[in-house]
Amino acid sequence: MNKLDFLKELKVYLQDLSSQEQKEIIQDFEEHFEMGRAEGKTDEEIVRSLGSPQQIAKELQPQEIEQYSANQSEQSPSLRIGMIIGLLFFNLIIVLGPAIGFAGIILSIWVVAFSFVAQLFIAGIQWIIQPVSFYLFELFTSITLAGIGLLIFTGAKYITNAAIRIFSKYIAFNVRLVKGENRP
């Protein structure tokens, strides 16, 4: 099947759409063919990569979207309240404990990193206060711990950012679920 046959068949399957929508879709697929030809592909290879015109037209039909939004608008308030209560209990019983534990682990990583870096300053103060009892071993140990602390700071930053992203996505998922935007 070449470009013209593909576009003709696609246009036949898109008859339920407005002429403006048909025109835009056809233009999009003409661009696909132009890009494919620029990459050195033949029309047959491009058609194979796009799939059948019937399947493409089926996916582009707005009926599925309208049916989905109609189902969501039919969601009763009691169902929504039940979902909120269910999510509340689920989050309190299942999610809250591990989340607090994980937050505690992250906090302890930050404390350890800070302690390691502060060890260098503590060794410096000890050297100023009691220079006679200060050994070079303490200085080198403090420098080593400070270096490890800086590495832990870097890792803690990435872990904290990842945890915040995951938590934000989970909260957004809960909000979408309550609003009825996700199918249960």
Side-chain angles (χ1 to χ4, degrees), residues 31-179:
E31 289 177 11
H32 278 289
F33 277 95
E34 289 175 15
M35 287 187 295
R37 287 178 179 166
E39 295 174 0
K41 294 181 181 177
T42 65
D43 284 357
E44 290 78 25
E45 292 173 328
I46 298 169
V47 168
R48 270 187 260 127
S49 68
L50 292 174
S52 75
Q54 183 177 12
Q55 185 63 32
I56 292 170
K58 184 177 178 182
E59 292 173 2
L60 293 173
Q61 295 299 323
Q63 295 170 348
E64 295 175 23
I65 297 169
E66 291 172 9
Q67 289 174 352
Y68 177 73
S69 61
N71 289 342
Q72 296 306 317
S73 63
E74 294 172 5
Q75 191 177 30
S76 68
S78 61
L79 178 64
R80 190 165 288 179
I81 290 170
M83 190 177 296
I84 291 170
I85 292 170
L87 275 173
L88 178 69
F89 281 119
F90 177 79
N91 287 332
L92 284 175
I93 294 170
I94 305 295
V95 176
L96 186 63
I100 290 173
F102 193 65
I105 291 170
I106 291 174
L107 179 63
S108 67
I109 291 171
W110 280 102
V111 168
V112 166
F114 178 76
S115 300
F116 279 13
V117 172
Q119 177 62 33
L120 183 61
F121 298 109
I122 293 169
I125 292 170
Q126 182 184 358
W127 178 65
I128 292 171
I129 295 173
Q130 298 175 337
V132 176
S133 66
F134 187 75
Y135 298 107
L136 286 177
F137 176 75
E138 292 176 16
L139 175 66
F140 291 122
T141 303
S142 298
I143 291 171
T144 303
L145 287 176
I148 293 170
L150 291 174
L151 291 174
I152 293 173
F153 265 128
T154 305
K157 177 186 161 206
Y158 287 114
I159 291 171
T160 304
N161 287 340
I164 289 170
R165 279 194 310 271
I166 291 169
F167 181 72
S168 298
K169 286 181 181 182
Y170 183 72
I171 294 296
F173 168 74
N174 280 315
V175 169
R176 284 193 316 268
L177 198 61
V178 168
K179 286 183 176 179

